Amino acid sequence: MANFESAWFVYGALLLLLATSFVVRIDYVRIGLAAAALVAVPLVLFREPDVGYGMLVLAILVVNLGILARLWLRERQVSFSAEEEALRREHFSALNPVAARGLIDQGHWISAKRGEILIRENQAAPSLFYLAEGQAAIRRDGAEVGKLSDGALIGEATVLDGTHATGTVLLGSNARLWFVPAAALRAYLTANPAIASTLHEGFARALRGKLASANTRLADRAPIV
């Protein structure tokens, strides 16, 4: 019976470690390691004493709990303005507050005037833009093919790989923008691969939303036959 119980705790700890292997966010990795160590604690307490094993489990538990406590304190100290919080909520919600703070700090907030061109057709996007307030039009071959409004990301389809945009984005009103230059964003994400992975997923969701909206507009304009 004792051997069966020991095996149960070992398998439980191993399953937690396996699950942790697939986690991208580092704070979740720490939680998984601490949980695995916690599951293994009964082996230390109720089986025949093994000083080396006990010290290893204790070290894993204490180190990861300590790091989690430090991360928690750092997150509590992070603050966002109202417009930063809107950006974070709409597009960076998968990032913890510290990571979101670091990413937002790579960019700049500006006020722009109606008629300014953010991205030109057949050219690489110079920056990733977030349209906090205002309207923008998407033009292709001189014809308007879409509109963007408050909360939209602009340039996410091409800014990371440097490919050319398929349309021009022109501000249709005075606007409030956050932007981060493409080169600076790529350098930052190269140095922070976990953030890069999360951002790619967020960009994919934003693009799916734009495609769904575009399909709806096309369907509305289609003749009834």
Side-chain angles (χ1 to χ4, degrees):
M1 184 65 177
N3 288 337
F4 174 78
E5 292 176 349
S6 295
W8 186 90
F9 285 116
V10 169
Y11 286 128
L14 289 175
L15 285 173
L16 281 168
L17 288 173
L18 178 61
T20 300
S21 301
F22 295 98
V23 174
V24 174
R25 284 183 53 170
I26 189 63
D27 47 349
Y28 289 170
V29 172
R30 298 295 182 185
I31 292 172
L33 291 172
L38 192 60
V39 168
V41 165
L43 287 177
V44 179
L45 297 178
F46 301 118
R47 61 173 291 177
E48 294 182 4
D50 186 329
V51 176
Y53 177 80
M55 292 296 291
L56 177 61
V57 170
L58 184 61
I60 293 173
L61 183 61
V62 170
V63 168
N64 284 283
L65 286 178
I67 293 175
L68 284 170
R70 187 175 64 184
L71 289 173
W72 182 84
L73 288 173
R74 284 180 60 192
E75 289 185 6
R76 300 286 76 75
Q77 295 170 352
V78 174
S79 61
F80 299 90
S81 67
E83 58 187 3
E84 289 172 338
E85 181 58 34
L87 168 57
R88 179 192 171 210
R89 183 178 61 254
E90 292 178 30
H91 298 292
F92 304 148
S93 60
L95 297 175
N96 65 49
V98 174
R101 176 77 271 166
L103 178 58
I104 292 173
D105 285 346
Q106 304 307 305
H108 312 275
W109 291 92
I110 59 170
S111 296
K113 294 183 177 181
R114 178 182 179 180
E116 291 191 25
I117 295 176
L118 303 182
I119 296 175
R120 295 182 183 275
E121 186 175 357
N122 298 321
Q123 295 184 16
S127 301
L128 172 69
F129 298 92
Y130 165 69
L131 185 60
E133 297 177 6
Q135 305 288 324
I138 305 173
R139 296 180 179 272
R140 185 176 299 161
D141 297 326
E144 185 173 307
V145 296
K147 289 184 177 295
L148 299 170
S149 58
D150 298 1
L153 276 182
I154 303 171
E156 76 278 13
T158 60
V159 70
L160 295 183
D161 57 16
T163 56
H164 288 181
T166 58
T168 293
V169 180
L170 176 75
L171 289 180
S173 68
N174 292 341
R176 178 69 172 166
L177 299 164
W178 172 84
F179 78 97
V180 55
L185 178 61
R186 288 195 288 266
Y188 182 74
L189 295 181
T190 297
N192 297 273
I195 295 177
S197 176
T198 303
L199 206 60
H200 276 291
E201 294 175 4
F203 285 0
R205 286 193 299 272
L207 285 172
R208 286 195 294 269
K210 286 183 180 179
L211 289 173
S213 178
N215 290 336
T216 299
R217 287 196 302 271
L218 290 174
D220 290 341
R221 295 175 184 174
I224 299 175
V225 296

PDB file of all heavy atoms in Angstrom, residues 92-130:
ATOM      1  N   PHE A  92      -3.419  43.134 -25.337  1.00  0.00           N
ATOM      2  CA  PHE A  92      -2.322  42.496 -24.608  1.00  0.00           C
ATOM      3  C   PHE A  92      -2.811  41.827 -23.329  1.00  0.00           C
ATOM      4  O   PHE A  92      -2.050  41.678 -22.371  1.00  0.00           O
ATOM      5  CB  PHE A  92      -1.247  43.540 -24.256  1.00  0.00           C
ATOM      6  CG  PHE A  92      -0.698  44.293 -25.442  1.00  0.00           C
ATOM      7  CD1 PHE A  92      -0.275  45.613 -25.307  1.00  0.00           C
ATOM      8  CD2 PHE A  92      -0.622  43.699 -26.688  1.00  0.00           C
ATOM      9  CE1 PHE A  92       0.224  46.317 -26.388  1.00  0.00           C
ATOM     10  CE2 PHE A  92      -0.121  44.399 -27.788  1.00  0.00           C
ATOM     11  CZ  PHE A  92       0.303  45.706 -27.640  1.00  0.00           C
ATOM     12  N   SER A  93      -4.063  41.418 -23.301  1.00  0.00           N
ATOM     13  CA  SER A  93      -4.634  40.855 -22.071  1.00  0.00           C
ATOM     14  C   SER A  93      -3.979  39.537 -21.665  1.00  0.00           C
ATOM     15  O   SER A  93      -4.032  39.148 -20.497  1.00  0.00           O
ATOM     16  CB  SER A  93      -6.142  40.652 -22.233  1.00  0.00           C
ATOM     17  OG  SER A  93      -6.424  39.767 -23.305  1.00  0.00           O
ATOM     18  N   ALA A  94      -3.373  38.831 -22.621  1.00  0.00           N
ATOM     19  CA  ALA A  94      -2.722  37.560 -22.298  1.00  0.00           C
ATOM     20  C   ALA A  94      -1.373  37.755 -21.600  1.00  0.00           C
ATOM     21  O   ALA A  94      -0.810  36.801 -21.062  1.00  0.00           O
ATOM     22  CB  ALA A  94      -2.532  36.721 -23.563  1.00  0.00           C
ATOM     23  N   LEU A  95      -0.866  38.982 -21.613  1.00  0.00           N
ATOM     24  CA  LEU A  95       0.406  39.279 -20.949  1.00  0.00           C
ATOM     25  C   LEU A  95       0.155  39.668 -19.497  1.00  0.00           C
ATOM     26  O   LEU A  95      -0.837  40.320 -19.186  1.00  0.00           O
ATOM     27  CB  LEU A  95       1.130  40.426 -21.655  1.00  0.00           C
ATOM     28  CG  LEU A  95       1.561  40.195 -23.107  1.00  0.00           C
ATOM     29  CD1 LEU A  95       2.146  41.477 -23.679  1.00  0.00           C
ATOM     30  CD2 LEU A  95       2.569  39.055 -23.206  1.00  0.00           C
ATOM     31  N   ASN A  96       1.064  39.281 -18.620  1.00  0.00           N
ATOM     32  CA  ASN A  96       0.938  39.738 -17.237  1.00  0.00           C
ATOM     33  C   ASN A  96       1.258  41.244 -17.184  1.00  0.00           C
ATOM     34  O   ASN A  96       1.817  41.802 -18.138  1.00  0.00           O
ATOM     35  CB  ASN A  96       1.847  38.930 -16.302  1.00  0.00           C
ATOM     36  CG  ASN A  96       3.321  39.118 -16.589  1.00  0.00           C
ATOM     37  OD1 ASN A  96       3.825  40.227 -16.712  1.00  0.00           O
ATOM     38  ND2 ASN A  96       4.047  38.012 -16.701  1.00  0.00           N
ATOM     39  N   PRO A  97       0.895  41.928 -16.109  1.00  0.00           N
ATOM     40  CA  PRO A  97       1.081  43.383 -16.056  1.00  0.00           C
ATOM     41  C   PRO A  97       2.517  43.843 -16.311  1.00  0.00           C
ATOM     42  O   PRO A  97       2.737  44.866 -16.967  1.00  0.00           O
ATOM     43  CB  PRO A  97       0.617  43.743 -14.644  1.00  0.00           C
ATOM     44  CG  PRO A  97      -0.386  42.686 -14.305  1.00  0.00           C
ATOM     45  CD  PRO A  97       0.144  41.432 -14.934  1.00  0.00           C
ATOM     46  N   VAL A  98       3.498  43.113 -15.790  1.00  0.00           N
ATOM     47  CA  VAL A  98       4.899  43.517 -15.981  1.00  0.00           C
ATOM     48  C   VAL A  98       5.284  43.440 -17.457  1.00  0.00           C
ATOM     49  O   VAL A  98       5.908  44.351 -18.003  1.00  0.00           O
ATOM     50  CB  VAL A  98       5.835  42.634 -15.127  1.00  0.00           C
ATOM     51  CG1 VAL A  98       7.297  42.963 -15.428  1.00  0.00           C
ATOM     52  CG2 VAL A  98       5.549  42.829 -13.640  1.00  0.00           C
ATOM     53  N   ALA A  99       4.902  42.329 -18.126  1.00  0.00           N
ATOM     54  CA  ALA A  99       5.225  42.162 -19.546  1.00  0.00           C
ATOM     55  C   ALA A  99       4.495  43.203 -20.389  1.00  0.00           C
ATOM     56  O   ALA A  99       5.069  43.783 -21.324  1.00  0.00           O
ATOM     57  CB  ALA A  99       4.867  40.758 -20.003  1.00  0.00           C
ATOM     58  N   ALA A 100       3.214  43.452 -20.076  1.00  0.00           N
ATOM     59  CA  ALA A 100       2.454  44.453 -20.821  1.00  0.00           C
ATOM     60  C   ALA A 100       3.061  45.842 -20.643  1.00  0.00           C
ATOM     61  O   ALA A 100       3.160  46.618 -21.603  1.00  0.00           O
ATOM     62  CB  ALA A 100       1.005  44.451 -20.358  1.00  0.00           C
ATOM     63  N   ARG A 101       3.487  46.155 -19.419  1.00  0.00           N
ATOM     64  CA  ARG A 101       4.119  47.440 -19.150  1.00  0.00           C
ATOM     65  C   ARG A 101       5.386  47.596 -19.993  1.00  0.00           C
ATOM     66  O   ARG A 101       5.629  48.649 -20.598  1.00  0.00           O
ATOM     67  CB  ARG A 101       4.455  47.529 -17.661  1.00  0.00           C
ATOM     68  CG  ARG A 101       5.211  48.774 -17.179  1.00  0.00           C
ATOM     69  CD  ARG A 101       4.300  49.956 -17.082  1.00  0.00           C
ATOM     70  NE  ARG A 101       4.238  50.697 -18.346  1.00  0.00           N
ATOM     71  CZ  ARG A 101       3.319  51.608 -18.610  1.00  0.00           C
ATOM     72  NH1 ARG A 101       2.379  51.883 -17.743  1.00  0.00           N
ATOM     73  NH2 ARG A 101       3.323  52.240 -19.761  1.00  0.00           N
ATOM     74  N   GLY A 102       6.203  46.547 -20.041  1.00  0.00           N
ATOM     75  CA  GLY A 102       7.438  46.609 -20.815  1.00  0.00           C
ATOM     76  C   GLY A 102       7.185  46.795 -22.297  1.00  0.00           C
ATOM     77  O   GLY A 102       7.890  47.555 -22.974  1.00  0.00           O
ATOM     78  N   LEU A 103       6.169  46.105 -22.833  1.00  0.00           N
ATOM     79  CA  LEU A 103       5.849  46.225 -24.254  1.00  0.00           C
ATOM     80  C   LEU A 103       5.303  47.609 -24.583  1.00  0.00           C
ATOM     81  O   LEU A 103       5.735  48.233 -25.559  1.00  0.00           O
ATOM     82  CB  LEU A 103       4.840  45.144 -24.644  1.00  0.00           C
ATOM     83  CG  LEU A 103       4.366  45.150 -26.094  1.00  0.00           C
ATOM     84  CD1 LEU A 103       5.538  45.015 -27.052  1.00  0.00           C
ATOM     85  CD2 LEU A 103       3.355  44.034 -26.332  1.00  0.00           C
ATOM     86  N   ILE A 104       4.372  48.093 -23.793  1.00  0.00           N
ATOM     87  CA  ILE A 104       3.792  49.413 -24.052  1.00  0.00           C
ATOM     88  C   ILE A 104       4.859  50.501 -23.979  1.00  0.00           C
ATOM     89  O   ILE A 104       4.832  51.470 -24.747  1.00  0.00           O
ATOM     90  CB  ILE A 104       2.648  49.697 -23.063  1.00  0.00           C
ATOM     91  CG1 ILE A 104       1.464  48.759 -23.357  1.00  0.00           C
ATOM     92  CG2 ILE A 104       2.196  51.158 -23.146  1.00  0.00           C
ATOM     93  CD1 ILE A 104       0.350  48.830 -22.336  1.00  0.00           C
ATOM     94  N   ASP A 105       5.824  50.330 -23.093  1.00  0.00           N
ATOM     95  CA  ASP A 105       6.888  51.335 -22.944  1.00  0.00           C
ATOM     96  C   ASP A 105       7.816  51.394 -24.146  1.00  0.00           C
ATOM     97  O   ASP A 105       8.603  52.351 -24.274  1.00  0.00           O
ATOM     98  CB  ASP A 105       7.702  51.054 -21.678  1.00  0.00           C
ATOM     99  CG  ASP A 105       6.960  51.448 -20.409  1.00  0.00           C
ATOM    100  OD1 ASP A 105       5.954  52.175 -20.517  1.00  0.00           O
ATOM    101  OD2 ASP A 105       7.384  51.017 -19.319  1.00  0.00           O
ATOM    102  N   GLN A 106       7.766  50.400 -25.033  1.00  0.00           N
ATOM    103  CA  GLN A 106       8.579  50.452 -26.254  1.00  0.00           C
ATOM    104  C   GLN A 106       8.017  51.457 -27.255  1.00  0.00           C
ATOM    105  O   GLN A 106       8.719  51.877 -28.174  1.00  0.00           O
ATOM    106  CB  GLN A 106       8.643  49.060 -26.918  1.00  0.00           C
ATOM    107  CG  GLN A 106       9.163  47.952 -26.033  1.00  0.00           C
ATOM    108  CD  GLN A 106      10.499  48.288 -25.410  1.00  0.00           C
ATOM    109  OE1 GLN A 106      11.466  48.611 -26.116  1.00  0.00           O
ATOM    110  NE2 GLN A 106      10.567  48.217 -24.089  1.00  0.00           N
ATOM    111  N   GLY A 107       6.758  51.822 -27.077  1.00  0.00           N
ATOM    112  CA  GLY A 107       6.104  52.709 -28.030  1.00  0.00           C
ATOM    113  C   GLY A 107       5.902  54.123 -27.501  1.00  0.00           C
ATOM    114  O   GLY A 107       6.402  54.491 -26.430  1.00  0.00           O
ATOM    115  N   HIS A 108       5.154  54.907 -28.261  1.00  0.00           N
ATOM    116  CA  HIS A 108       4.926  56.315 -27.941  1.00  0.00           C
ATOM    117  C   HIS A 108       3.463  56.665 -28.221  1.00  0.00           C
ATOM    118  O   HIS A 108       2.835  56.105 -29.119  1.00  0.00           O
ATOM    119  CB  HIS A 108       5.827  57.212 -28.806  1.00  0.00           C
ATOM    120  CG  HIS A 108       7.261  56.782 -28.830  1.00  0.00           C
ATOM    121  ND1 HIS A 108       8.172  57.161 -27.860  1.00  0.00           N
ATOM    122  CD2 HIS A 108       7.933  55.983 -29.693  1.00  0.00           C
ATOM    123  CE1 HIS A 108       9.346  56.621 -28.137  1.00  0.00           C
ATOM    124  NE2 HIS A 108       9.235  55.904 -29.241  1.00  0.00           N
ATOM    125  N   TRP A 109       2.948  57.622 -27.467  1.00  0.00           N
ATOM    126  CA  TRP A 109       1.594  58.127 -27.679  1.00  0.00           C
ATOM    127  C   TRP A 109       1.671  59.470 -28.392  1.00  0.00           C
ATOM    128  O   TRP A 109       2.452  60.341 -28.011  1.00  0.00           O
ATOM    129  CB  TRP A 109       0.870  58.287 -26.344  1.00  0.00           C
ATOM    130  CG  TRP A 109       0.559  56.984 -25.683  1.00  0.00           C
ATOM    131  CD1 TRP A 109       1.331  56.321 -24.773  1.00  0.00           C
ATOM    132  CD2 TRP A 109      -0.602  56.181 -25.883  1.00  0.00           C
ATOM    133  NE1 TRP A 109       0.721  55.150 -24.390  1.00  0.00           N
ATOM    134  CE2 TRP A 109      -0.471  55.033 -25.050  1.00  0.00           C
ATOM    135  CE3 TRP A 109      -1.750  56.305 -26.667  1.00  0.00           C
ATOM    136  CZ2 TRP A 109      -1.433  54.036 -24.999  1.00  0.00           C
ATOM    137  CZ3 TRP A 109      -2.711  55.312 -26.620  1.00  0.00           C
ATOM    138  CH2 TRP A 109      -2.550  54.196 -25.792  1.00  0.00           C
ATOM    139  N   ILE A 110       0.853  59.631 -29.435  1.00  0.00           N
ATOM    140  CA  ILE A 110       0.860  60.883 -30.194  1.00  0.00           C
ATOM    141  C   ILE A 110      -0.574  61.255 -30.581  1.00  0.00           C
ATOM    142  O   ILE A 110      -1.472  60.407 -30.603  1.00  0.00           O
ATOM    143  CB  ILE A 110       1.703  60.795 -31.488  1.00  0.00           C
ATOM    144  CG1 ILE A 110       1.158  59.687 -32.399  1.00  0.00           C
ATOM    145  CG2 ILE A 110       3.179  60.580 -31.163  1.00  0.00           C
ATOM    146  CD1 ILE A 110       1.781  59.696 -33.787  1.00  0.00           C
ATOM    147  N   SER A 111      -0.767  62.522 -30.890  1.00  0.00           N
ATOM    148  CA  SER A 111      -2.007  62.991 -31.496  1.00  0.00           C
ATOM    149  C   SER A 111      -1.705  63.273 -32.960  1.00  0.00           C
ATOM    150  O   SER A 111      -0.702  63.932 -33.278  1.00  0.00           O
ATOM    151  CB  SER A 111      -2.510  64.257 -30.795  1.00  0.00           C
ATOM    152  OG  SER A 111      -2.841  63.967 -29.445  1.00  0.00           O
ATOM    153  N   ALA A 112      -2.548  62.762 -33.852  1.00  0.00           N
ATOM    154  CA  ALA A 112      -2.321  62.916 -35.289  1.00  0.00           C
ATOM    155  C   ALA A 112      -3.529  63.590 -35.932  1.00  0.00           C
ATOM    156  O   ALA A 112      -4.645  63.516 -35.418  1.00  0.00           O
ATOM    157  CB  ALA A 112      -2.069  61.560 -35.931  1.00  0.00           C
ATOM    158  N   LYS A 113      -3.285  64.227 -37.075  1.00  0.00           N
ATOM    159  CA  LYS A 113      -4.337  64.977 -37.745  1.00  0.00           C
ATOM    160  C   LYS A 113      -4.964  64.196 -38.895  1.00  0.00           C
ATOM    161  O   LYS A 113      -4.337  63.319 -39.486  1.00  0.00           O
ATOM    162  CB  LYS A 113      -3.766  66.300 -38.273  1.00  0.00           C
ATOM    163  CG  LYS A 113      -3.325  67.265 -37.177  1.00  0.00           C
ATOM    164  CD  LYS A 113      -2.838  68.587 -37.757  1.00  0.00           C
ATOM    165  CE  LYS A 113      -2.463  69.562 -36.647  1.00  0.00           C
ATOM    166  NZ  LYS A 113      -1.998  70.871 -37.190  1.00  0.00           N
ATOM    167  N   ARG A 114      -6.191  64.535 -39.176  1.00  0.00           N
ATOM    168  CA  ARG A 114      -6.909  63.934 -40.294  1.00  0.00           C
ATOM    169  C   ARG A 114      -6.109  64.084 -41.584  1.00  0.00           C
ATOM    170  O   ARG A 114      -5.500  65.129 -41.837  1.00  0.00           O
ATOM    171  CB  ARG A 114      -8.264  64.623 -40.453  1.00  0.00           C
ATOM    172  CG  ARG A 114      -9.085  64.114 -41.623  1.00  0.00           C
ATOM    173  CD  ARG A 114     -10.381  64.870 -41.728  1.00  0.00           C
ATOM    174  NE  ARG A 114     -11.173  64.408 -42.861  1.00  0.00           N
ATOM    175  CZ  ARG A 114     -12.361  64.886 -43.196  1.00  0.00           C
ATOM    176  NH1 ARG A 114     -12.890  65.872 -42.471  1.00  0.00           N
ATOM    177  NH2 ARG A 114     -13.018  64.396 -44.229  1.00  0.00           N
ATOM    178  N   GLY A 115      -6.084  63.012 -42.372  1.00  0.00           N
ATOM    179  CA  GLY A 115      -5.381  63.037 -43.646  1.00  0.00           C
ATOM    180  C   GLY A 115      -3.981  62.454 -43.594  1.00  0.00           C
ATOM    181  O   GLY A 115      -3.381  62.178 -44.638  1.00  0.00           O
ATOM    182  N   GLU A 116      -3.440  62.251 -42.382  1.00  0.00           N
ATOM    183  CA  GLU A 116      -2.101  61.675 -42.279  1.00  0.00           C
ATOM    184  C   GLU A 116      -2.133  60.204 -42.685  1.00  0.00           C
ATOM    185  O   GLU A 116      -3.065  59.467 -42.361  1.00  0.00           O
ATOM    186  CB  GLU A 116      -1.558  61.822 -40.863  1.00  0.00           C
ATOM    187  CG  GLU A 116      -1.244  63.256 -40.483  1.00  0.00           C
ATOM    188  CD  GLU A 116      -0.466  63.344 -39.174  1.00  0.00           C
ATOM    189  OE1 GLU A 116       0.219  62.358 -38.831  1.00  0.00           O
ATOM    190  OE2 GLU A 116      -0.527  64.388 -38.512  1.00  0.00           O
ATOM    191  N   ILE A 117      -1.099  59.785 -43.401  1.00  0.00           N
ATOM    192  CA  ILE A 117      -0.990  58.403 -43.868  1.00  0.00           C
ATOM    193  C   ILE A 117      -0.117  57.624 -42.886  1.00  0.00           C
ATOM    194  O   ILE A 117       1.019  58.017 -42.606  1.00  0.00           O
ATOM    195  CB  ILE A 117      -0.393  58.343 -45.286  1.00  0.00           C
ATOM    196  CG1 ILE A 117      -1.351  58.995 -46.282  1.00  0.00           C
ATOM    197  CG2 ILE A 117      -0.116  56.891 -45.686  1.00  0.00           C
ATOM    198  CD1 ILE A 117      -0.808  59.071 -47.701  1.00  0.00           C
ATOM    199  N   LEU A 118      -0.661  56.541 -42.370  1.00  0.00           N
ATOM    200  CA  LEU A 118       0.083  55.709 -41.421  1.00  0.00           C
ATOM    201  C   LEU A 118       0.884  54.629 -42.140  1.00  0.00           C
ATOM    202  O   LEU A 118       2.033  54.364 -41.793  1.00  0.00           O
ATOM    203  CB  LEU A 118      -0.890  55.065 -40.424  1.00  0.00           C
ATOM    204  CG  LEU A 118      -1.784  56.011 -39.624  1.00  0.00           C
ATOM    205  CD1 LEU A 118      -2.653  55.221 -38.653  1.00  0.00           C
ATOM    206  CD2 LEU A 118      -0.957  57.046 -38.879  1.00  0.00           C
ATOM    207  N   ILE A 119       0.272  54.000 -43.112  1.00  0.00           N
ATOM    208  CA  ILE A 119       0.911  52.908 -43.859  1.00  0.00           C
ATOM    209  C   ILE A 119       0.593  53.110 -45.340  1.00  0.00           C
ATOM    210  O   ILE A 119      -0.540  53.453 -45.691  1.00  0.00           O
ATOM    211  CB  ILE A 119       0.390  51.532 -43.389  1.00  0.00           C
ATOM    212  CG1 ILE A 119       0.782  51.287 -41.928  1.00  0.00           C
ATOM    213  CG2 ILE A 119       0.929  50.410 -44.279  1.00  0.00           C
ATOM    214  CD1 ILE A 119       0.209  50.012 -41.335  1.00  0.00           C
ATOM    215  N   ARG A 120       1.575  52.890 -46.187  1.00  0.00           N
ATOM    216  CA  ARG A 120       1.387  53.048 -47.626  1.00  0.00           C
ATOM    217  C   ARG A 120       1.342  51.685 -48.312  1.00  0.00           C
ATOM    218  O   ARG A 120       2.089  50.769 -47.965  1.00  0.00           O
ATOM    219  CB  ARG A 120       2.510  53.903 -48.234  1.00  0.00           C
ATOM    220  CG  ARG A 120       2.516  55.343 -47.729  1.00  0.00           C
ATOM    221  CD  ARG A 120       3.601  56.160 -48.399  1.00  0.00           C
ATOM    222  NE  ARG A 120       3.651  57.517 -47.871  1.00  0.00           N
ATOM    223  CZ  ARG A 120       2.887  58.515 -48.301  1.00  0.00           C
ATOM    224  NH1 ARG A 120       2.024  58.303 -49.289  1.00  0.00           N
ATOM    225  NH2 ARG A 120       2.981  59.723 -47.766  1.00  0.00           N
ATOM    226  N   GLU A 121       0.470  51.612 -49.277  1.00  0.00           N
ATOM    227  CA  GLU A 121       0.331  50.386 -50.056  1.00  0.00           C
ATOM    228  C   GLU A 121       1.646  50.028 -50.742  1.00  0.00           C
ATOM    229  O   GLU A 121       2.371  50.895 -51.222  1.00  0.00           O
ATOM    230  CB  GLU A 121      -0.767  50.595 -51.106  1.00  0.00           C
ATOM    231  CG  GLU A 121      -1.130  49.358 -51.894  1.00  0.00           C
ATOM    232  CD  GLU A 121      -2.309  49.620 -52.830  1.00  0.00           C
ATOM    233  OE1 GLU A 121      -2.864  50.751 -52.808  1.00  0.00           O
ATOM    234  OE2 GLU A 121      -2.679  48.700 -53.573  1.00  0.00           O
ATOM    235  N   ASN A 122       1.963  48.738 -50.742  1.00  0.00           N
ATOM    236  CA  ASN A 122       3.176  48.192 -51.377  1.00  0.00           C
ATOM    237  C   ASN A 122       4.465  48.640 -50.692  1.00  0.00           C
ATOM    238  O   ASN A 122       5.549  48.592 -51.295  1.00  0.00           O
ATOM    239  CB  ASN A 122       3.231  48.552 -52.868  1.00  0.00           C
ATOM    240  CG  ASN A 122       2.068  47.952 -53.642  1.00  0.00           C
ATOM    241  OD1 ASN A 122       1.673  46.812 -53.384  1.00  0.00           O
ATOM    242  ND2 ASN A 122       1.519  48.703 -54.579  1.00  0.00           N
ATOM    243  N   GLN A 123       4.360  49.084 -49.446  1.00  0.00           N
ATOM    244  CA  GLN A 123       5.536  49.402 -48.646  1.00  0.00           C
ATOM    245  C   GLN A 123       5.429  48.689 -47.297  1.00  0.00           C
ATOM    246  O   GLN A 123       4.331  48.368 -46.837  1.00  0.00           O
ATOM    247  CB  GLN A 123       5.661  50.915 -48.412  1.00  0.00           C
ATOM    248  CG  GLN A 123       5.919  51.719 -49.668  1.00  0.00           C
ATOM    249  CD  GLN A 123       6.123  53.198 -49.384  1.00  0.00           C
ATOM    250  OE1 GLN A 123       6.368  53.606 -48.247  1.00  0.00           O
ATOM    251  NE2 GLN A 123       6.035  54.015 -50.427  1.00  0.00           N
ATOM    252  N   ALA A 124       6.571  48.438 -46.675  1.00  0.00           N
ATOM    253  CA  ALA A 124       6.569  47.802 -45.355  1.00  0.00           C
ATOM    254  C   ALA A 124       5.992  48.768 -44.322  1.00  0.00           C
ATOM    255  O   ALA A 124       6.217  49.977 -44.391  1.00  0.00           O
ATOM    256  CB  ALA A 124       7.989  47.403 -44.960  1.00  0.00           C
ATOM    257  N   ALA A 125       5.221  48.243 -43.397  1.00  0.00           N
ATOM    258  CA  ALA A 125       4.656  49.087 -42.336  1.00  0.00           C
ATOM    259  C   ALA A 125       5.793  49.657 -41.499  1.00  0.00           C
ATOM    260  O   ALA A 125       6.629  48.905 -40.987  1.00  0.00           O
ATOM    261  CB  ALA A 125       3.714  48.264 -41.462  1.00  0.00           C
ATOM    262  N   PRO A 126       5.848  50.974 -41.324  1.00  0.00           N
ATOM    263  CA  PRO A 126       6.938  51.569 -40.544  1.00  0.00           C
ATOM    264  C   PRO A 126       6.816  51.307 -39.051  1.00  0.00           C
ATOM    265  O   PRO A 126       7.801  51.315 -38.330  1.00  0.00           O
ATOM    266  CB  PRO A 126       6.816  53.064 -40.848  1.00  0.00           C
ATOM    267  CG  PRO A 126       5.356  53.249 -41.135  1.00  0.00           C
ATOM    268  CD  PRO A 126       4.929  51.990 -41.853  1.00  0.00           C
ATOM    269  N   SER A 127       5.570  51.083 -38.598  1.00  0.00           N
ATOM    270  CA  SER A 127       5.309  50.902 -37.168  1.00  0.00           C
ATOM    271  C   SER A 127       4.063  50.047 -36.983  1.00  0.00           C
ATOM    272  O   SER A 127       3.275  49.841 -37.920  1.00  0.00           O
ATOM    273  CB  SER A 127       5.085  52.261 -36.470  1.00  0.00           C
ATOM    274  OG  SER A 127       6.197  53.113 -36.615  1.00  0.00           O
ATOM    275  N   LEU A 128       3.896  49.567 -35.764  1.00  0.00           N
ATOM    276  CA  LEU A 128       2.626  48.991 -35.335  1.00  0.00           C
ATOM    277  C   LEU A 128       1.848  50.121 -34.668  1.00  0.00           C
ATOM    278  O   LEU A 128       2.376  50.803 -33.789  1.00  0.00           O
ATOM    279  CB  LEU A 128       2.851  47.856 -34.341  1.00  0.00           C
ATOM    280  CG  LEU A 128       1.593  47.293 -33.667  1.00  0.00           C
ATOM    281  CD1 LEU A 128       0.725  46.546 -34.678  1.00  0.00           C
ATOM    282  CD2 LEU A 128       1.977  46.370 -32.505  1.00  0.00           C
ATOM    283  N   PHE A 129       0.596  50.312 -35.065  1.00  0.00           N
ATOM    284  CA  PHE A 129      -0.220  51.394 -34.533  1.00  0.00           C
ATOM    285  C   PHE A 129      -1.414  50.840 -33.762  1.00  0.00           C
ATOM    286  O   PHE A 129      -1.968  49.796 -34.109  1.00  0.00           O
ATOM    287  CB  PHE A 129      -0.751  52.278 -35.667  1.00  0.00           C
ATOM    288  CG  PHE A 129       0.311  52.976 -36.472  1.00  0.00           C
ATOM    289  CD1 PHE A 129       0.820  52.380 -37.622  1.00  0.00           C
ATOM    290  CD2 PHE A 129       0.795  54.218 -36.093  1.00  0.00           C
ATOM    291  CE1 PHE A 129       1.797  53.017 -38.384  1.00  0.00           C
ATOM    292  CE2 PHE A 129       1.765  54.865 -36.837  1.00  0.00           C
ATOM    293  CZ  PHE A 129       2.272  54.257 -37.992  1.00  0.00           C
ATOM    294  N   TYR A 130      -1.813  51.575 -32.735  1.00  0.00           N
ATOM    295  CA  TYR A 130      -3.058  51.311 -32.027  1.00  0.00           C
ATOM    296  C   TYR A 130      -3.881  52.587 -32.091  1.00  0.00           C
ATOM    297  O   TYR A 130      -3.436  53.650 -31.660  1.00  0.00           O
ATOM    298  CB  TYR A 130      -2.780  50.928 -30.574  1.00  0.00           C
ATOM    299  CG  TYR A 130      -3.988  50.983 -29.665  1.00  0.00           C
ATOM    300  CD1 TYR A 130      -5.024  50.070 -29.793  1.00  0.00           C
ATOM    301  CD2 TYR A 130      -4.079  51.963 -28.667  1.00  0.00           C
ATOM    302  CE1 TYR A 130      -6.134  50.132 -28.952  1.00  0.00           C
ATOM    303  CE2 TYR A 130      -5.176  52.022 -27.822  1.00  0.00           C
ATOM    304  CZ  TYR A 130      -6.202  51.102 -27.970  1.00  0.00           C
ATOM    305  OH  TYR A 130      -7.294  51.155 -27.140  1.00  0.00           O
TER     306      TYR A 130
END
